[in-house]
Structure formats: structure tokens, C-alpha cells
């Protein structure tokens, strides 16, 4: 299959670290760099066109648009920097400018002259060379080093808009003016103030330049002399501005300086942009060299940002204004594009105005994750800028966007397109994609998940936690599996098409295939010298394609590497295989996309496309194989259309219909419904109010109409009277006018008749002269055509001389015609004098002459047509002959080339013939050697056959000796097998005895412990009783004294009753310990019984299976016997009927009857067998019932035993 083609469809992002990032091409189009390409964006149609970077370039380093808006210059960074001049309308490259002696690898700034004929370029470090080009000739006119002795940075170079020879250069401590003169660039008008870091500049007139510094100063300079300085911050807003630009660090206030990044001038003044996210407009005042700030324009702040660092407004880096000066576009330090209408800004002078996004917001940091869904044309991206975005790759629009407090490392989109899984630095979150929000509904405690993925069916999600892959169910959110096997971080996980396997690759050089049914590793391929970055599985599930740090693309099948395709200097970072398994794409660390020929070949053919300016982090292909999507470390997001070689989209066998459903929370739906109800009520109220207002207006209009109709009627009456008077006057004027017209017509008719007579006479005379001149011209034309044919045959030079000659003659004839005209005038005068005399003669002569010349004219016209037809045929013949000559020449050339090719082929074939002859000779020699070898081998074969005969005889004798020994061996093996069976039975009996012994020992230990505890408890109670008796006796001695008696009784209580409670507590502890011991003993006994039961049940199951098999065979025999019995009974009935019929008929044919009786006797002999089979079946049924009864008893015994958690059933529970 051929290599698939890619066409850029949409690009989202901005490369904002260059000078003049965005420029207006015309009123509707802007150009800006993304990755290694440039995008031409139509603001009105929201469409994109692309100027692709060259193969060896890294990215765009500078852009400049010509003053006439016809060309754009794009400088590309590389080992040898280059500048391409492109036509804006066709987007084709016109010129390529290179400077061989340039030691820098990039150009930092460029500018066209006012007439767009010259171009200046400023190279970067280390040489910092300013070059003056005449780009139409690709020729540098002059160059000069612009930096100082400290090798300071140059920021911007510009042309004087009024003078192509003057150039301004600004940089860190550098402000220089150069003039081009006689092939040299010479500095003039040196700076007359302390140097500063000049970041931006713009020409305001033919000699004044406005310059912005990193300290927020705007300096107006004229030939290096400071004319004025302007403040960006007003005193009233200075406190507010300081509050936004000051940062509190460790109790001390550090003030941030506001740098002026860009300045753009227009007819009313200039606009400058700053690092505080604001742009200020200055307009010229009546005072000399004075500009006044009249408005402030600021970037919008995101309401979604909750932390203080993310709420900080980014700075404005580049400004560009439209040719009509109605729109302003800017770029921010976070790589976003904003726009504002200056016409609306004029309406709100003095107020702060907010910029708006030009199209949508972009990622401005590394895109760390990307995924695509099946049922919708959606793709999700996450970035280190803490944002998650949902894009539509078919329409090229941003569907959802949300920023979070933590950085997002990975993302996975559910196949339904309704859920998204994002791995943040603190947790892994599963979120709903609502109609206008992204809300979290489940969190997993996985920190810093670098890779996650949904299964193709969406029922599982895989998350990487270091070197462990955790699988969760998307319905219950339970941890289903933990896949452990990698020694390093896992970089990629992919499900196969059936979701039965999972393939993973890691930094440890291992590619593992996991079974999702068993949770075990099925296969593994380890290459420790390679750190894998991505892996993809083919649809059949066996073939795997992996890329890593070893500059190769590997094709792996059944854990074996089939092919290694080298990637050259680049390293493959991503690989993706189409769902139809017809296309394979790879991405590199240089930011390029490679369409690789599939199936893979040993050479590894591919076609490379320039895309990102740094490494590609993620790459996906759509479900219908029509779109390829890639994301890079530069924050850009590319969408490609996959096409065939004819530029058409690929056709799928089955069309995929995308779903349109969305999620919305109940609260949002209720709010929207309530809002709709409120709006409907508001609409009804407005309708009522409008109807009331309309009725009032109708009443007012009716009154006005009445007034107007009355006025109109009055005016009509007055106009009618005027009309009647005017009609009377008109009738009078008509009569007078008719009389005058009649008089004039009479006069006109008389004059017309006279003029017609005179003109007819003049026409006749002129016609005669015309006939004569026409005849002469025809003769001249014939002669000219004859001479022309002759000259065509001779030379083109002679033709030119003849044309000049006849032109001269034509001029002479023109002069003669003029003289003839003069003569005609004189003749007309004479003719008027003599016309009365010759009227009759002239008419007759005119008719004769007319007829004669008409005949001649027809003849000449026919001859002229014939000659023209001949010339046309000759020219056609000449052209056809010329074509045939050209074709013959081309055939001769082709034949010569073919002759040369055939001669070369003949020479090569002769060489091949000579080589083949040599090879034939060599093969003849080898054949002779082989024949000799064959003869020797035949002799050896005869000798070996003799040895074979001897060996066969010996083998027969040995076999005779071996046979009795083999019989002995078989008998010994049978004895050994029987002994092993007996040994197995002994082992089983020993195991049962060991279990019984262990149970008895445990019971004995428990009874010993219980006995010792009871003896100890008895001894303690006897001692307590003795002490109690002694104390009671002492208390009895105090019976007379009540106080002492009470004290002694209290002491007795405190001494014995409290001790008893302590003893009870100790007793409770002992009971608990005994309960735990008994519980453990019972659990062990239950476990042993369960093991015994399982073994017994297995033995019984085997016996049952054997009995069932025997029963089946017996039942089969019984059925056969029943069939025979039935046949015999039928036969007996037939014989009885036959016998009866014969007896009645009195026939003496007894032979047939005897035969039938013999068969009957033979059939009756089967009855004893049937009865025996019935007895055997009955015995087996009885045995089965006994076995079932024994099994039921064992189950009842097991169920009758108390469970381990019922402690009260133990006899010791009564003590508690």
C-alpha cells in the first residue's frame, strides 16, 4: 500500500517567543507562527491557510509584511538560517535568501522598505549582523555589525517610512541610526543620553522615533536627541496600578517594573503595550512633539482561576493594526490572540476597554495528555497550564474549557464522549462533560497519574501509578486488577480491540501483554537498552508497534521483534495505527510527523511533515481514519486531514454517525427552565405593552391623518381651479404652436427636397470616384498578395520590407485621395453650374456605368474569395507539414535515446552472457566433482549394506533374548503399580489418623488448661473464704459498739466485695481467652472436616460416575432385551394364529409349524437373562440409595456443628 498523505486542517496555538508574532496581511487576514509553520487566519470566515516550514528548519524566528501588502518574509531558524519571500495571494515562495558567511543560526528581526523593494534583516548571536537586501535579486547590498563591545542583544530594526536609506536599530543599551550610501551602512546621529534597554520602537515621522524601555519610559527621539518623554501611568491611577504590580515577599514590598514590549504607530498617534496586560493609546495634540494618552485597553482576566498566581494578568507582547486602522490585534505572554475594535474605542474615550479572544483560547504550556472518543467528533487535551479543553476536530472549534488549581498530567475521554478522566498532581478525577461545564463526580487516590485510558467498550479504566497499572470498573468504581511487572515507570497502556488484553510499555525497556480475564502477564519483551515511550496494538491483537529512545520503530509479534526501522537523527516519541490497519504514523522529538509505508518494509519508507517546533507528546487518529491529531511540548495542537494521492478524503466501508446527546445537571435544567418561563412572561408583558403603545400610536396617527386629509382636500380644490385656468391657457398656446409648426414644416419640406436633390447628385459623383478607387485598390491588393506569397517563400525580412513599401504606397494613395477630394469639391461647384444642361445625359450614363462596375465588382469579389480560400488551404497544409516535421524530429530523438538504452542493455546482456558462460563452466567442473563423489559414495553404500545384513542378524538374535525380559518387566510394573496404590491408601489412612491425633491433643491441652484454671479458682475461693471468716470474727467482736461495727462492716465490704468485682473482671478476661481458644479449635476442626468431606465427596463422586457408566451400559442392554422380548411375543402370537388356522383347515404341513416352534423356543430362552438383568439393576439401585443416605448423613453432621461465631453455645458461656 502507498504512503498516506496528510493535509493541514486546523492548528491551535501560538509561538509567542519571537519578534512581531502577528501581522495583518489585509483587512481580513492575519499571519502568525505555530510550531514550525505559519498560519494565515481569515478573521471573518474563521478559516486557516498554511505556509509550511522547510525540511531542515527548526521553527520561525521572525516575520515581516511588505508595505504594499503583497509579500511576506519568513525567517527560519536552522544550522544555516534562511528567509523565504512568499506571495500573499498564492502563498507560494518567490525567493529564498541565504547568507553563506552568516555564523548565527537565526534572524531576530526584519523589515521591508516603504516601496517594498528592499529588506533589512538582523541576525542573532554571536555576530549580530544587519544586512541590507534587494530581495528581488536575492542580493545583499551591505552589512554591518550592530552590537556593542559587550555583545548586547538587539531587539528590533525598522526602515524610515519616508527614506529607504535610513534604518533604526534598538537593543539593550543600543540606539543606532544607519544610512545606506554607495554600498555601505554608516552610522549617523549618535545618541545623546544615557543608554537604556530599548525594547521597542516605531517611526512617527521622517525624523522622529518613539522608543519604549524596560522601565516603562516612552522616549521621543529626533536624530538621537531626546525631544519629549511620556508617562504611561496617570497620577490618579498610579496607586491602583502599583497594587497590581507590587509583590509582597517576606514583609518587604518589591515593585515590578512595567516594560513596554511593542509600539505601533497610526495616523492619529501611536499605541504601546506593556507587561501589566494593558495597551495605551496616545494621540497627537496641537503642541509640538506632544502626545496625550486618551484611552486604556486591558486583557480580560479569567473568572475560573482561583489561586492568586493564576489570576495574574499576562503581559501584551506584540501589537498590529489593520490597514484601515479599525481593528487592533495583540498577543499575550501566555500565547493567546486578542482583538479589539478601535472604532468602538473611539466611542468610549477615557474609559477602560477589554480585549476579546480573536478565535478561542490556546494552551500556553506543554500539552501532557490527549484522547479521542468513538461516538462523537471530540478530542480532549490537558496541559501543564492547569487547563482541560474539549475540541471538535471536524468543525475546528473549542467546545469546553476549564482551568483547575492543579497541574494535569494525563487525560482519557470515555468512548461515549460524556465523561473525561484527568490525572492531576494530587488525585485522579472522573468528571462529567456538561453542556457548559466540567464537573467532578468521582476521585481516585492516585497522585501524579502520568497515563490513563478507557477501554474500547468503556467498562474499564486503566491508570498508571508509578510502575503499577490499576484497573477500575466504570460502573462500581472498584479496583478490579493491579498489574505488577514493570521495574520502571509505565509510559503507555493500550487495550486491544476486544478489550481482552492490555499492552503496556515502560522506561525499563519492557513491553508486557496482560490478560484482563486472569490478570496475569501473558508475554513480555525486554530490551534494557531502550526506554519505550509509546506502543500500539494491531486489530488482530498479535502484532505490536513500539517506539523508544533507541531511534527505531519495532514490529513485535508473539514477543519476538520482527523488524527494526531506523529513524535517523530523530527519535520516535509516538506511534499510531489506523483502525483499518492500513496506515501507520510516527512522531519525533523534532516535532515532525511521519507517514510510514504500511505494511512495514526493511528500508522503512516514509513521508515527513513539518508540524511542531519541539517534541510531539501525544498523537491520535479518529475512529473513521479521516483525521490525525497531534500535540507537542510547544503547546500547539494540530489537526490533519488524511487524504489519498489525488487529494481526496479516504472512504470508509461503514459510515460512522456521531451522537448529539449532552449531559446537563437537574439544577441547571431547572434554572434554564425557570429562566425560559421568566423570559416568556417578560415577552408576554412586552407584547402587551407594545400592543398598548401601538394602539396609542394608531390613535395619534388617525388624528394626524384626518388633519392631513382635510388639508389635502383644500389643496386639491385650489389645485383644480389652477388646473382649469392652466388648461385654457394651454389650449390657446396649442393653437398658436400648431400654426407655427405648420409653417415650419412647410419650410422644412421645401428645404429637404432641395437638399435631397443636391445630395443625390453629390452621391453619384462620389460613387463613381469610389468605384475607380476600389478598382485601383483591388489591383494593388492582388499585386500585394502575389508579392506576399513570394516573400513568405523567401524570407521574413523581405516581407517586412514589402509591408513598408506598400505602406508608403498606401500613404501616397491617401494623399492622392485627399487631392481627389479637393478636386471633387471643385467639380461639384462646376457640376452645380452645369447640372441643368446634363441631367438627362448624366442619368443614362450613370445607369450604364453602374451596371458595368457592378459586374466588374462581382467578378473581382469572386476571384478574391478563391484566392483567400487557396491561401487558407496553403497555410493549413504548411502548419500540418510543420507539425509532421516536429513529430518526426521528436520520434528521431526518442529513437536515438531508445537506441542508446538498447545498446547499454545489449552491453549489459553481453556481460551477463560472459558471466553465465563462466558460471556454466564452473558448474560443469562441480558436476564432475559431484559425480566422482557419488561413485565413491556408492562404493561405501555397498560396503554398508553388507554391514547392515550382519547387524540385522544380530538384532534378531538380541530381540529373541529381550522378549522374555520385557514380559518380566511388564509383570514387575504391574506389581509396582499395585504396591503404589496400596501405599496411597496407607498415606490417606495416615493423614486421617494424624488429623484425629491433632484434634485429640488439642482437646487434651484444652481440658488440662481448664482443669488447672478450675483448681486455681478453687484454691483462691478457699483462701478468700478463710480470710472472710477471720474478718467476720473480728467484726463480731465489735457488736457492742455500733460505730466500730459499721466501720468494720464497711471495711469488710471494701476489702472483699471490690476484690470480688476485680476477680469477676479477671474471670471475664479468662472467659474471653477461653472463648477465643475454643473458637480457634472449632474453626480448625471445621476446616479439617471440610477437607475430609471434600475428599470423601470426591471419592463418592468417582464411584457414582463409575456406577452411572455401568448403569448406562446395563440400561442399554435392558433396552435391547426388551426389544427382543417384544419381537418374540409377536412371533409367538403369529405362530399361535397360524397353528389355529392350520388346525381348522386340517392341513398336514407340519414342517413350517415345527420351524416356527423352534424359533419360538429359541426366543423363550432369553427370558432367564432378562430376569437376571432386572435383579442386577435392583441391586445397583439399592446401593445408590445407600450411598445417597450416607452422603445426606455427612451433610447433616456438618450442618449440625455450631458455627465459629456463636460463642454462647459453648458450655463455659454459663459462667458469664
Amino acid at each position: 500500500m502507498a504512503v498516506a498523505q496528510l493535509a493541514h486542517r486546523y492548528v491551535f496555538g501560538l509561538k509567542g517567543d519571537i519578534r512581531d508574532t502577528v501581522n495583518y496581511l489585509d483587512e481580513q487576514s492575519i499571519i502568525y507562527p505555530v510550531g514550525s509553520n505559519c498560519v494565515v487566519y481569515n478573521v471573518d470566515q474563521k478559516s486557516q491557510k498554511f505556509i509550511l516550514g522547510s525540511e531542515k528548519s527548526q521553527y520561525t524566528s521572525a516575520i515581516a509584511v511588505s508595505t504594499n501588502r503583497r509579500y511576506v518574509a519568513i525567517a527560519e531558524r536552522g544550522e544555516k538560517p534562511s528567509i523565504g519571500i512568499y506571495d500573499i495571494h498564492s502563498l507560494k515562495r518567490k525567493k529564498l535568501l541565504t547568507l553563506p558567511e552568516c555564523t548565527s543560526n537565526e534572524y531576530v528581526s526584519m523589515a521591508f522598505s516603504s516601496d517594498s523593494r528592499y529588506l533589512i534583516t538582523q541576525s542573532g548571536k554571536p555576530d549580530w549582523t544587519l544586512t541590507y537586501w534587494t530581495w528581488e535579486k536575492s542580493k545583499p547590498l551591505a552589512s554591518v555589525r550592530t552590537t556593542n563591545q559587550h555583545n548586547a542583544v538587539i531587539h528590533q530594526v525598522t526602515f524610515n517610512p519616508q527614506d529607504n536609506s535610513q534604518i533604526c536599530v534598538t537593543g539593550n543599551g543600543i540606539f543606532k541610526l544607519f544610512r545606506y550610501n554607495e554600498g555601505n551602512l554608516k552610522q549617523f546621529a549618535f545618541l545623546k543620553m544615557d543608554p537604556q534597554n530599548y525594547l521597542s520602537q516605531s517611526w512617527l515621522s521622517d525624523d522622529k522615533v518613539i522608543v519604549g524601555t524596560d522601565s516603562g519610559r516612552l522616549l521621543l527621539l529626533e536624530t538621537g536627541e531626546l525631544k519629549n518623554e511620556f508617562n504611561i501611568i496617570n497620577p490618579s491611577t498610579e496607586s491602583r496600578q502599583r497594587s497590581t504590580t507590587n509583590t509582597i515577599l517576606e514583609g518587604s514590598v518589591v515593585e515590578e517594573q512595567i516594560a513596554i514590549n511593542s509600539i505601533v504607530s497610526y495616523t492619529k498617534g501611536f499605541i504601546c503595550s506593556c507587561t501589566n496586560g494593558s495597551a495605551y493609546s496616545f494621540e497627537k495634540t496641537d503642541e509640538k512633539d506632544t502626545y496625550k494618552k486618551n484611552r486604556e485597553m486591558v486583557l480580560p482576566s479569567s473568572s475560573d482561576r482561583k489561586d492568586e498566581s493564576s489570576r495574574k494578568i499576562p503581559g501584551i507582547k506584540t501589537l498590529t493594526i489593520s490597514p484601515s486602522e479599525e481593528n487592533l490585534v495583540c498577543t499575550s505572554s501566555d500565547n493567546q490572540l486578542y482583538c479589539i475594535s478601535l472604532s468602538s474605542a473611539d466611542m468610549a474615550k477615557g474609559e477602560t476597554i477589554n480585549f476579546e479572544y480573536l478565535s478561542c483560547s490556546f494552551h500556553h504550556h506543554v500539552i501532557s495528555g490527549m484522547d479521542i472518543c468513538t461516538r462523537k467528533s471530540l478530542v480532549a487535551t490537558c496541559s501543564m497550564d492547569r487547563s482541560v479543553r474539549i475540541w471538535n476536530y471536524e468543525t475546528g472549534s473549542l467546545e469546553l474549557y476549564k482551568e483547575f488549581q492543579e497541574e494535569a498530567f494525563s487525560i482519557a475521554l470515555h468512548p461515549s464522549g460524556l465523561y473525561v478522566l484527568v490525572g492531576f498532581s494530587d488525585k485522579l478525577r472522573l468528571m462529567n462533560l456538561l453542556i457548559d461545564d466540567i464537573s467532578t463526580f468521582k476521585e481516585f487516590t492516585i497522585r501524579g497519574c502520568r497515563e490513563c485510558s478507557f477501554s474500547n467498550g468503556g467498562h474499564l479504566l486503566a491508570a498508571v501509578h508509578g510502575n503499577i497499572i490499576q484497573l477500575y470498573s466504570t460502573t462500581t468504581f472498584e479496583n478490579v486488577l493491579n498489574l505488577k511487572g514493570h521495574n520502571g515507570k509505565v509510559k503507555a497502556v493500550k487495550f486491544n480491540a476486544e478489550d481482552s488484553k492490555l499492552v503496556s510499555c515502560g522506561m525499563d525497556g519492557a513491553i508486557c501483554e496482560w490478560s484482563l480475564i486472569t490478570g496475569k502477564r501473558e508475554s513480555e519483551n525486554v530490551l534494557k537498552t531502550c526506554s519505550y515511550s509509546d506502543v500500539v496494538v494491531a486489530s488482530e491483537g498479535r502484532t505490536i508497534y513500539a517506539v523508544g529512545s533507541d531511534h527505531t520503530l519495532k514490529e513485535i509479534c508473539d514477543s519476538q521483534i520482527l523488524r527494526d526501522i531506523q529513524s535517523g537523527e530523530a527519535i520516535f516519541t509516538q506511534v499510531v495505527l489506523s483502525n483499518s490497519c492500513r496506515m501507520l504514523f510516527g512522531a519525533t522529538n523534532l516535532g515532525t510527523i511521519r507517514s510510514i509505508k504500511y505494511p512495514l518494509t526493511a528500508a522503512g519508507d516514509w513521508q515527513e511533515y513539518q508540524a511542531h517546533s519541539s517534541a510531539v507528546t501525544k498523537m491520535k487518529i479518529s475512529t473513521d481514519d479521516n483525521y490525525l491529531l497531534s500535540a507537542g511540548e510547544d503547546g500547539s495542537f494540530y489537526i490533519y486531514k488524511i487524504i489519498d494521492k489525488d487529494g481526496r478524503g479516504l472512504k470508509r466501508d461503514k459510515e460512522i454517525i456521531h451522537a448529539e446527546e449532552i449531559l446537563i445537571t437537574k439544577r441547571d435544567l431547572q434554572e434554564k427552565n425557570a429562566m425560559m418561563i421568566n423570559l416568556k412572561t417578560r415577552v408576554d408583558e412586552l407584547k402587551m405593552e407594545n400592543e398598548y403603545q401601538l394602539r396609542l400610536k394608531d390613535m395619534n396617527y388617525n388624528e394626524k391623518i384626518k388633519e392631513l386629509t382635510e388639508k389635502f382636500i383644500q389643496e386639491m380644490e385650489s389645485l383644480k381651479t389652477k388646473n382649469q385656468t392652466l388648461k385654457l391657457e394651454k389650449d390657446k398656446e396649442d393653437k398658436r404652436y400648431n400654426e407655427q409648426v405648420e409653417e415650419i414644416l412647410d419650410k422644412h419640406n421645401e428645404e429637404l427636397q432641395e437638399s435631397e436633390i443636391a445630395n443625390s447628385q453629390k452621391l453619384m459623383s462620389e460613387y463613381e470616384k469610389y468605384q475607380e478607387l476600389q478598382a485601383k485598390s483591388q489591383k494593388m491588393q492582388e499585386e500585394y498578395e502575389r508579392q506576399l506569397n513570394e516573400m513568405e517563400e523567401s524570407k521574413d525580412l523581405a516581407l517586412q520590407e514589402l509591408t513598408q513599401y506598400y505602406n508608403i504606397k498606401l500613404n501616397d494613395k491617401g494623399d492622392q485621395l485627399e487631392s481627389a477630394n479637393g478636386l471633387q469639391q471643385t467639380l461639384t461647384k462646376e457640376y452645380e453650374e452645369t447640372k441643368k444642361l446634363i441631367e438627362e445625359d448624366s442619368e443614362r450614363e450613370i445607369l450604364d456605368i453602374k451596371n458595368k462596375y457592378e459586374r466588374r465588382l462581382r467578378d473581382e469579389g469572386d476571384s478574391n474569395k478563391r484566392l483567400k480560400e487557396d491561401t487558407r488551404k496553403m497555410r493549413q497544409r504548411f502548419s500540418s507539414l510543420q507539425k509532421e516535421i516536429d513529430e518526426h524530429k521528436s520520434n528521431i530523438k526518442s529513437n536515438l535515446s531508445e537506441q542508446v538504452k538498447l545498446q547499454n542493455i545489449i552491453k549489459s546482456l553481453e556481460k551477463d552472457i560472459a558471466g553465465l558462460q563462466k558460471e556454466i563452466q564452473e558448474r560443469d567442473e562441480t558436476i564432475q566433482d559431484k559425480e566422482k563423489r557419488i561413485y565413491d559414495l556408492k562404493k561405501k553404500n555397498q560396503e554398508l549394506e553388507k554391514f547392515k545384513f550382519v547387524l540385522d542378524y544380530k538384532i534378531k538374535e538380541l530381540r529373541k533374548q529381550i522378549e522374555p525380559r520385557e514380559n518380566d518387566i511388564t509383570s514387575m510394573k504391574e506389581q509396582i503399580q499395585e504396591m503404589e496404590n496400596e501405599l496411597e491408601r496407607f498415606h490417606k489412612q495416615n493423614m486421617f489418623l494424624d488429623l484425629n491425633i491433632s484434634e485429640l491433643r488439642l482437646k487434651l491441652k484444652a481440658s488440662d488448661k481448664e482443669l488447672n484454671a478450675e483448681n486455681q479458682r478453687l484454691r483462691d475461693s478457699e483462701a478468700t473464704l478463710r480470710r472472710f471468716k477471720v474478718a467476720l470474727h473480728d467484726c463480731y467482736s465489735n457488736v457492742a459498739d455500733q460505730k466500730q461495727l459499721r466501720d468494720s462492716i464497711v471495711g469488710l465490704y471494701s476489702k472483699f466485695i471490690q476484690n470480688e468485682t476485680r476477680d469477676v473482671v479477671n474471670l471475664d478476661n479468662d472467659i474471653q481467652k477461653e472463648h477465643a481458644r475454643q473458637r480457634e479449635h472449632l474453626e480448625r476442626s471445621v476446616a479439617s472436616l471440610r477437607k475430609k468431606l471434600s475428599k470423601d465427596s470426591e471419592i463418592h463422586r468417582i464411584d457414582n460416575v463409575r456406577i452411572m457408566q455401568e448403569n448406562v451400559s446395563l440400561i442399554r442392554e435392558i433396552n435391547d432385551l426388551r426389544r427382543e422380548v417384544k419381537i418374540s411375543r409377536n412371533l409367538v402370537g403369529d405362530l399361535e394364529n397360524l397353528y389355529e388356522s392350520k388346525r381348522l383347515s386340517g392341513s398336514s404341513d407340519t414342517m413350517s409349524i415345527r420351524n416356527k416352534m423352534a424359533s419360538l423356543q429359541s426366543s423363550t430362552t432369553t427370558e432367564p437373562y432378562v430376569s437376571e438383568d432386572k435383579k442386577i439393576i435392583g441391586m445397583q439401585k439399592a446401593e445408590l440409595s445407600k450411598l445417597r443416605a450416607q452422603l445426606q448423613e455427612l451433610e447433616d453432621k456438618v450442618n449440625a456443628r455450631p458455627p465459629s461465631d456463636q460463642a454462647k453455645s459453648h458450655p463455659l458461656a454459663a459462667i458469664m
Side-chain angles (χ1 to χ4, degrees), residues 83-142:
I83 302 167
I85 310 296
Y86 294 86
D87 185 85
I88 288 176
H89 300 291
S90 63
L91 299 182
K92 293 182 179 179
R93 190 168 68 186
K94 305 287 286 184
K95 295 290 181 181
L96 182 64
L97 309 181
T98 56
L99 203 62
E101 60 271 14
C102 181
T103 59
S104 175
N105 59 357
E106 65 176 347
Y107 291 98
V108 297
S109 181
M110 298 187 298
F112 277 95
S113 61
S114 57
D115 58 359
S116 303
R117 294 175 58 193
Y118 302 101
L119 178 72
I120 53 170
T121 60
Q122 175 65 58
S123 64
K125 60 181 181 181
D127 55 355
W128 300 104
T129 302
L130 178 70
T131 308
Y132 191 94
W133 299 80
T134 170
W135 65 267
E136 292 178 346
K137 299 180 181 178
S138 303
K139 180 181 178 182
L141 300 178

Side-chain angles (χ1 to χ4, degrees), residues 75 179 265 353 546 586 595 621 647 730 738 954 979 983 1033 1035 1068 1092 1177:
R179 178 178 282 114
S265 59
I353 308 165
S595 176
I621 193 167
K730 178 181 174 294
N738 290 328
K954 288 182 179 179
M979 293 173 71
L983 185 62
H1033 185 270
C1035 182
D1068 291 340
K1092 187 175 180 181
I1177 289 167

